[in-house]
Amino acid sequence: ALRIQICGGAALLIDYSGAHSGDTIRAFQNHTQVPVLSSPGTVDLTTDVDFHALRTAISQIEGYGTRVGCYGPANQGKFLASMGVMERA
């Protein structure tokens, strides 16, 4: 936390939504769901996020000159357009 306070930082959270197994945390390898501890360091981990609770927690961060902003949510099309996808296509 101190390094982020000194140097700054950012996080981009992506909500893929859709149906899933119901597990709280899941792992994927080669587009297939695999056991979370099947191959540490070589699988992609994902979890369900309560974005409302996260936004609430972020809005309560204060002190030490912390500047915290929360933008969104934005759907994928609007996000990609704001990042210049049309100019790059």
Side-chain angles (χ1 to χ4, degrees):
L2 180 59
R3 182 177 181 134
I4 292 174
Q5 286 177 352
I6 293 169
C7 301
L12 174 63
L13 305 174
I14 300 172
D15 181 8
Y16 292 102
S17 296
H20 55 77
S21 69
D23 293 334
T24 303
I25 186 168
R26 296 171 302 283
F28 289 87
Q29 189 171 44
N30 299 321
H31 307 287
T32 302
Q33 189 169 346
V34 297
V36 174
L37 298 176
S38 64
S39 188
T42 64
V43 299
D44 295 321
L45 299 177
T46 185
T47 188
D48 295 326
V49 176
D50 181 342
F51 287 97
H52 178 72
L54 182 60
R55 185 184 211 49
T56 300
I58 289 170
S59 70
Q60 295 173 1
I61 295 173
E62 58 184 51
Y64 301 104
T66 304
R67 294 177 296 148
V68 178
C70 193
Y71 308 95
N75 68 38
Q76 184 179 26
K78 288 181 181 179
F79 173 75
L80 292 174
S82 73
M83 298 303 290
V85 71
M86 297 308 292
E87 291 82 354
R88 294 183 170 104

